Structures are given as C-alpha cells and as structure tokens.
Amino acid sequence: MNASETNEEAMMEKFGLQKRVSQLDEQGYFVGPVMADLSPLDKPGHYLIPGGAIDCAPPDSMERGRLYRPAEGGGWTSVEDLRQRTLYSVTDGQPYHLGAEINGQRYEGIGPFPEWLTLQARPNEWNVWSGSAWIADESLLAADMTRQRVDERAGKLAYASQQILLLQDAQSLNIATPEELDLLQRWRRYRVELSRIDPADPTAGWPAQPG
C-alpha cells in the first residue's frame, strides 16, 4: 500500500465518508437532515453539501408546531408555525385564509399571529371580541332572538292563512259543515292574535293553535 492510499484511508477514518447536514426550504427553514459525502478531491474534511443544505447539524430536538432556522450566532432558533391551524378574524369571526389582505395587512401563518386574528372560533353571531376572548353582546343576542321570533311568527301566520283559505273555499261553495265554520272562526282569531305578538318581547307566548 502506497503513501497516498494510506493517507486516504486515514482521512476517511478521521472524518467519515458522510456526515449529517441540514436541508432548508426556500424560506430558510429546516426541512430535515441529509447526508453530505466526503469530497475525494478537496482538502481533508471537506464535504459536498447538497443544494439548499447548510453545513450544520440538525436541531437536537424539535417542538411540534414550530419552524426552525439557523441562528446568527450558531445553533437554531424557532418560530410558531400556524399554517395547519384555523385562524379567525376578530371582526366577524370568519375563518381567515392565509395570505389574504385585511385592511392592508396579511399573515402567512408563520410567527406570532397579529392581534386582528385569533385561534378561538366565534361561538355564535351575538359574540364580540373583547381583546382576549369572545363574549356575549346582549344587544346582538336580543336582535338575534327577535329575528328568530319574526321568522317563527311568519311561518305560523302562513300556515294559519293556508288553513283559513281552505275553509273559506268550503264556505263560499256552501258545503262547509258547522264544525268547519266554527274552525274557520277559530283560525281567524288565532291569526289575529298571532299578528299582535311583539317578536321583540321574549316573554310573549304564542297563542294556542286551533285543533
């Protein structure tokens, strides 16, 4: 064995044929470890670093939900990664689409999220953002309940009008029975009573529907 071969073996034994380095993405965040091969042509200890990788050992440990990138003084630093989480606008509670512009501002899901977003889903339409949580707004709650009662009353009135129309047909054709004529009057009274209900008054009960 000549001296050149002896030196090559010694170099391989000292440095190893491969070493683990760190692959980064286009934004400079750690993707995973890759292997760099010992260069056969350069000076001892020089490795062929794959494209997009850096000559730095991967992080010793990684926390779920964080991205890692090389720190200026060596080692690694990390930021929060929320790209797989659902964020909501604190204005209306709607899900936020990463990168969308709201009032001239955008958020890409990396790093601390801005104060106009939250990870808390809005429980319902009458909750407003307090700065740290969704809280019930009594005026919005009352308005929502009124809308529901308006819709409910409209449905009841429509059904009553349908029943009255059928009974009036029988009456106009002189084929209504005494029971049907009595029921017609009760449906008419019921419709009038319904029309007098104030939907904004949650204590106002609905009149009994004719049987």
Side-chain angles (χ1 to χ4, degrees), residues 20-34 49 52-63 66-80:
R20 279 160 50 97
V21 295
S22 298
Q23 184 73 45
L24 306 181
D25 64 14
E26 294 179 352
Q27 296 177 289
Y29 292 105
F30 177 74
V31 174
V34 291
I49 307 299
I54 59 172
D55 190 2
C56 179
D60 293 330
S61 61
M62 297 179 63
E63 183 180 343
R66 299 191 70 82
L67 289 175
Y68 290 75
R69 70 186 312 164
E72 291 185 4
W76 296 87
T77 184
S78 68
V79 295
E80 195 169 16

Side-chain angles (χ1 to χ4, degrees), residues 163-211:
Q163 300 306 308
I164 291 170
L165 183 61
L166 292 172
L167 291 168
Q168 284 177 335
D169 285 346
Q171 182 186 44
S172 65
L173 293 171
N174 295 318
I175 59 174
T177 65
E179 291 78 11
E180 288 174 329
L181 292 174
D182 176 66
L183 186 58
L184 173 59
Q185 295 306 310
R186 287 191 286 131
W187 273 112
R188 282 173 168 167
R189 176 177 292 276
Y190 170 75
R191 184 167 63 175
V192 170
E193 291 174 350
L194 270 178
S195 68
R196 293 175 176 175
I197 295 295
D198 180 7
D201 181 3
T203 65
W206 302 113
Q209 182 175 293

Side-chain angles (χ1 to χ4, degrees), residues 59-108:
D60 293 330
S61 61
M62 297 179 63
E63 183 180 343
R64 186 183 180 90
R66 299 191 70 82
L67 289 175
Y68 290 75
R69 70 186 312 164
E72 291 185 4
W76 296 87
T77 184
S78 68
V79 295
E80 195 169 16
D81 180 12
L82 298 174
R83 292 175 296 178
Q84 303 302 317
R85 302 284 300 277
T86 301
L87 290 140
Y88 303 89
S89 167
V90 301
T91 302
D92 56 13
Q94 292 299 307
Y96 175 72
H97 300 287
L98 294 180
E101 183 174 325
I102 294 182
N103 297 326
Q105 302 179 84
R106 302 174 187 269
Y107 176 62
E108 300 295 341

Side-chain angles (χ1 to χ4, degrees), residues 132-149:
S132 60
W134 295 103
I135 59 174
D137 183 299
E138 296 300 328
S139 62
L140 291 178
L141 174 58
D144 187 71
M145 292 181 65
T146 298
R147 283 194 299 269
Q148 293 181 35
R149 285 174 59 83

